[in-house]
Every structure is written in C-alpha cells, then in structure tokens.
Amino acid sequence: MMTLAQYLNHHSANPAVTELITTVTDVGKTISQLLQKGALADILGEAGNQNVQGEEQKKLDVLANDLLLEALADNKHCAGVASEELDHATPANKDGSLLILFDPLDGSSNIDINMAVGTIFSILPYQRQGQISADEDFLQAGNQQLAAGYLLYGTSTVLTLTIDDNVAMFSLDPDSGDYLLIEEQVQISADTSEYAINASNYRYWQPPMQQYIDELIAGKTGVRGRDFNTRWVAAMVGDVHRILCRGGLFTYPFDTKDPNKAGKLRLMYEANPMSLLIERAGGMATDAITRILDIEPTDIHQRVPVVLGSKNEVAYVKQLHSAHNES
Ligand code: F6P
Ligand code: MN
C-alpha cells in the first residue's frame, strides 16, 4: 500500500506544502495516541478557561493546539499559524512561504464521551515573505488554499487530504505508524437521502431552511416523494467524512439564536478547508447564497452559514433560498 510520504512525493508540486502536511500529520499521530489512552492520559474534562469565541476550552483543545503550534513554529516553511483557540495569529518564520489555519480539536463536546473528534487544517500562500506575518495576511478567500484536509480520530484514525485536483484518504496503521492510502479519488454521489442538521434550532432558522426540512420530514407523503434519514455526529469532521464516504447533506444554517453570530461554524478553519474537499470530490458548498470558497474574509474567526455535500441536494437548498429572497 502507498504511504502518505510516497503519495506526497507523487502528487505535491510544492515541497514546502509537503513538509507542512508532514508536520501536521505527525502531530495527528500524537493526538490519536492520547485519545486512545483517554482518561488514562488525564486528557479529559475542562481546561478551566474560555477561547476567543467564548467557548469553554477542554483540556484536549488546549493540548492539541499547543502540540500543533510547537511543531509548526519549528517548520521553516511556516510563516504564521492561526487557530480556533488563539485570539490572534501567531507569527512563525518570516522567510516561510506558507500560512496555516487549524481547528485543533473539532467536535470538542464529543471528547469526554469517547466519540469521534478531528483536526481540520487549511494551508494558504504567504504573500509578504521576509516580513513578520499578522492576522491580515490570513484574510484570503478559500479558493486560494494550496492544500486542505482533516484528521478524523474515530474507530480508526483517517487523514483526508487535497493537494491537487483529487481528494485522497489514508488510514493510520497503528503497527507501522504510517498513513496508508485507502482511496485515491474520492467522489460524492450527486443525490442523497441522508441529511445532517441540529434540528433543535428549528425555530431560529429562516423560512427557506424550515421549508426544506419540513419537506424532508414529510418524505414520501410530501413534495419530495421519497423518505430521508437524519445523521448527526455533532462533530463537523465526522459528518463531512460520512458525506465523502457515502454522500449526504450537512448544514449548520444561518440562525437567529445569537444575534452576534451569523452561523456557528468558522469560515477560515472549518468551512473553507471542508468546502475545498467537498468541491474537489464533486460536491457543492454554499452559505445558501454564495459559494463558500469565494467569500472574502474580514476576520480570521468569522462565522458563516454552511450547506455542503451532494450536489443536487445542496443546489436545491440554494434554489429555495433564492426563490424566497426574490419573492
Ligand atoms: O466546531 C463546532 C462544532 O463542534 C462542529 O464540529 C459541529 O458540527 C457543531 O459544532 C455541533 O453543534 P451542536 O452543538 O449544535 O450540535
Ligand atoms: Mn470545530
């Protein structure tokens, strides 16, 4: 089987990107080992402080963030690092040609219950080589990403990566410690009967999203004429992985639950890398109006509504929103 190192050799045109991915995936092995030990490694529970988003940090959020930061600061290609857990980006090596953003531990509420969590990352070019990087350098649209991917710490640890036109999946072999290629050209079916949404927020959604979910719930008896099924991992990384494996629609839509938040998910280190993977696998990713990858960011921590997955289903959600906005 092909190792990640061999795959990168064949597919990555940029040696700096290769080295950065190697650093992130090496840290992923350590996080994976810690998660396997769970309570025995004293990694569960609260860290006792909040991140910039006002969310309680878990011990493992902090630990994963520190491990990634430390390893990336030592990588000569890395000019700066931005993370869900850091108020501002941290400059690294000013002569580096790359910037990296990450969500060190996605799905934190799953840590303490032994359920799937992940690490999401996005790699961007650095335009001011030789000068110290700042938050503004990261404010590039998702269509500028040089590479993106996630590590899913589930029943096995899986790396999903895009560095060229393809999306590839690797499984971490606990015996050899290598990531081994399990699928080279991941493709998502255009149609699906599975959808993922936290329906407890129904009353906060906009009318087109309420209409869409009403239609799915009506199933055979409604306008869609067939039944749909819900799946919700409560970690975006898990829901996106399922969609890359067998199709589906995932959404965390616009809601009015908290007027300060346009949605729950963060554009730069959650929505953008996942949207690149989904599009390269033949799917679609939108905020219900605009292609996510074309949104020009104004803040490294900005939030965005997300609808992604099987192309025809996502296009239908977008159509319902357009029809509503035009009426
Ligand atoms: O990072 C935010 C996140 O944990 C996602 O991974 C996940 O999809 C979502 O929040 C879960 O939200 P909720 O708590 O509403 O189920
Ligand atoms: Mn997250």
Side-chain angles (χ1 to χ4, degrees):
M1 285 173 100
M2 190 184 275
T3 64
L4 172 64
Q6 289 165 339
Y7 180 88
L8 290 170
N9 246 336
H10 281 106
H11 291 258
S12 172
N14 183 335
V17 171
T18 299
E19 284 191 41
L20 216 57
I21 289 170
T22 306
T23 299
V24 172
T25 52
D26 281 349
V27 174
K29 292 181 195 175
T30 309
I31 298 173
S32 174
Q33 282 164 358
L34 286 168
L35 280 162
Q36 269 161 26
K37 287 196 177 158
L40 305 178
D42 190 26
I43 53 160
L44 307 186
E46 309 292 329
N49 32 293
Q50 291 189 337
N51 66 12
V52 63
Q53 340 259 338
E55 297 162 343
E56 288 302 325
Q57 285 178 312
K58 301 274 185 188
K59 279 188 202 165
L60 203 62
D61 286 325
V62 178
L63 194 57
N65 185 62
D66 291 352
L67 288 168
L68 283 163
L69 257 189
E70 203 179 307
L72 289 161
D74 279 348
N75 186 309
K76 66 177 189 295
H77 303 291
C78 180
V81 181
S83 160
E84 177 177 329
E85 305 302 332
L86 299 170
D87 297 12
H88 292 286
T90 304
N93 303 300
K94 64 181 172 45
D95 295 323
S97 59
L98 302 173
L99 300 171
I100 182 162
L101 297 109
F102 53 78
D103 177 353
L105 226 280
D106 178 59
S108 307
S109 70
N110 277 358
I111 301 171
D112 295 346
I113 56 165
N114 206 11
M115 292 293 140
V117 290
T119 299
I120 310 172
F121 60 91
S122 160
I123 298 177
L124 288 166
Y126 181 46
Q127 314 288 9
R128 294 193 306 122
Q129 257 180 291
Q131 298 176 62
I132 294 171
S133 67
D135 282 12
E136 296 67 44
D137 294 305
F138 288 79
L139 303 180
Q140 305 178 44
N143 56 34
Q144 299 299 304
Q145 292 173 102
L146 299 173
Y150 63 78
L151 282 142
L152 170 65
Y153 313 107
T155 47
S156 59
T157 292
V158 171
L159 164 71
T160 303
L161 181 68
T162 180
I163 42 169
D164 51 15
D165 292 341
N166 295 322
V167 174
M169 280 183 192
F170 303 82
S171 194
L172 177 59
D173 176 10
D175 296 328
S176 65
D178 283 328
Y179 290 96
L180 302 178
L181 184 68
I182 50 173
E183 201 167 343
E184 199 159 357
Q185 291 181 334
V186 176
Q187 281 294 312
I188 306 172
S189 56
D191 292 300
T192 182
S193 295
E194 270 186 352
Y195 68 100
I197 192 166
N198 182 345
S200 66
N201 294 320
Y202 181 93
R203 70 184 182 281
Y204 301 113
W205 300 336
Q206 295 181 305
M209 187 51 76
Q210 289 177 331
Q211 181 191 334
Y212 175 63
I213 297 300
D214 288 345
E215 289 180 6
L216 300 190
I217 291 171
K220 270 192 211 138
T221 65
V223 292
R224 300 297 303 266
R226 61 191 172 97
D227 287 339
F228 289 80
N229 193 24
T230 306
R231 286 287 178 267
W232 185 249
V233 178
M236 183 194 201
V237 78
D239 283 307
V240 168
H241 186 69
R242 184 187 60 256
I243 289 169
L244 287 168
C245 290
R246 65 175 193 215
L249 177 136
F250 167 86
T251 179
Y252 216 111
F254 177 90
D255 66 42
T256 55
K257 196 173 184 178
D258 178 344
N260 299 317
K261 298 176 186 170
K264 181 170 187 190
L265 300 175
R266 275 54 57 113
L267 173 65
M268 299 213 65
Y269 40 81
E270 292 181 318
N272 273 343
M274 294 313 206
S275 298
L276 192 66
L277 290 167
I278 291 286
E279 282 201 5
R280 294 239 171 110
M284 186 172 169
T286 172
D287 68 357
I289 297 154
T290 307
R291 180 186 181 219
I292 286 180
L293 293 177
D294 289 339
I295 296 174
E296 292 293 339
T298 53
D299 186 305
I300 53 174
H301 295 296
Q302 86 191 61
R303 294 174 193 260
V304 67
V306 172
V307 188
L308 59 76
S310 292
K311 205 176 200 162
N312 293 342
E313 204 58 31
V314 177
Y316 182 59
V317 175
K318 192 172 172 222
Q319 189 191 314
L320 291 178
H321 282 78
S322 309
H324 179 262
N325 293 342
E326 281 158 20
S327 66

